[in-house]
Amino acid sequence: MREILGKRRRLLSQRSDGRPELISAALTFATEWQWPVLPGVAADPQGRARCGCPDPECTVPGAHPFDPGLLAATTDERMVRWWWTNRPAAPIVLATGGNAPCAVSLPALAAARALAVLDRKGMRLGPVVATPTRWALLVKPYSMEQLGELLYAKDYVPGSLRFHGEGGYLALPPSETGDGEIRWERAPLPGSASPWVPDVEAVVDAVVEALTRTGVSAPEL
């Protein structure tokens, strides 16, 4: 019981302003769930819609790696603690693939409607990460070959679906990025050694069916 309570306390601990501690969440992901993470580039303090990276047209402001690069992602407690001690407001970026989850993301409105359909069908889903514009469903790691075969077998796949696989990344809660706050739409169960996630085939099949059969429009975003 002490172990479970400790994990819940770490994941849900808060700062003095009431927001969860990024360092606590980053340590949970890295050391308890063995998800490699690294700090993302901060949003531009002069305007949160802009990114702090050198690209003036960055499409994911504050939600991607920059310095250090993605290859620096780690599960090492000392490194994670050092990063967020020195950069306490840095977004938490997950390096997807390998032993870590991958993800399938789609626009927020279409995702909310698709999840409602899947709930009515009784499909089991894993954690779902939500931003104001997009939701990402975490899935088991997959290879590019596996994904290619899956998509090739389908007559239609909405162009708004994005795939965060090997060599990709995803910002995790409770980060704050240029698009706004990142939160759990479906949170991992507290105290779990590592959250359960479904196969990518099951998620893609179910999401595409939900979007097409219900007439839900998923804009190309």
Side-chain angles (χ1 to χ4, degrees):
M1 180 60 71
R2 288 196 301 271
E3 181 181 7
I4 292 176
L5 290 176
K7 290 180 180 180
R8 292 187 64 178
R9 189 178 301 114
R10 172 177 286 184
L11 188 60
L12 301 177
S13 61
Q14 295 182 335
R15 307 182 315 203
S16 58
D17 62 4
R19 283 182 51 78
E21 287 273 15
L22 286 164
I23 189 172
S24 297
L27 286 168
T28 294
F29 301 144
T31 65
E32 296 178 6
W33 297 355
Q34 292 298 294
W35 293 2
V37 298
L38 75 162
V41 61
D44 189 333
Q46 302 302 317
R48 294 204 61 84
R50 299 195 303 270
C51 191
C53 74
D55 183 0
E57 299 181 359
C58 180
T59 58
V60 284
H64 66 90
F66 175 63
D67 183 18
L70 185 62
L71 292 178
T74 184
T75 60
D76 181 75
E77 179 178 358
R78 291 175 299 177
M79 193 73 246
V80 171
R81 193 179 296 277
W82 186 86
W83 275 332
W84 272 274
T85 297
N86 289 278
R87 299 167 59 181
I92 303 170
V93 175
L94 167 70
T96 53
N99 294 323
C102 294
V104 177
S105 70
L106 63 161
L109 179 58
R113 293 177 178 174
L115 260 63
V117 173
L118 301 186
D119 285 342
R120 290 195 294 269
K121 294 176 62 175
M123 179 177 175
R124 183 185 181 190
L125 294 173
V128 178
V129 176
T131 75
T133 57
R134 295 187 71 85
W135 291 9
L137 289 68
L138 299 189
V139 298
K140 291 180 181 177
Y142 58 80
S143 66
M144 291 299 102
E145 292 79 10
Q146 181 183 2
L147 179 63
E149 292 176 0
L150 172 63
L151 299 181
Y152 182 77
K154 294 197 168 300
D155 294 329
Y156 168 74
V157 176
S160 57
L161 288 183
R162 294 179 186 167
F163 300 93
H164 310 258
E166 184 74 35
Y169 59 86
L170 183 71
L172 295 177
S175 303
E176 184 85 16
T177 72
D179 285 336
E181 181 183 356
I182 299 178
R183 60 179 177 82
W184 293 112
E185 174 62 27
R186 302 285 174 88
L189 293 177
S192 55
S194 183
W196 178 88
V197 291
D199 291 326
V200 66
E201 293 91 344
V203 168
V204 172
D205 288 347
V207 167
V208 170
E209 180 181 6
L211 294 179
T212 54
R213 289 198 174 186
T214 61
V216 174
S217 175
E220 307 295 313
L221 296 176

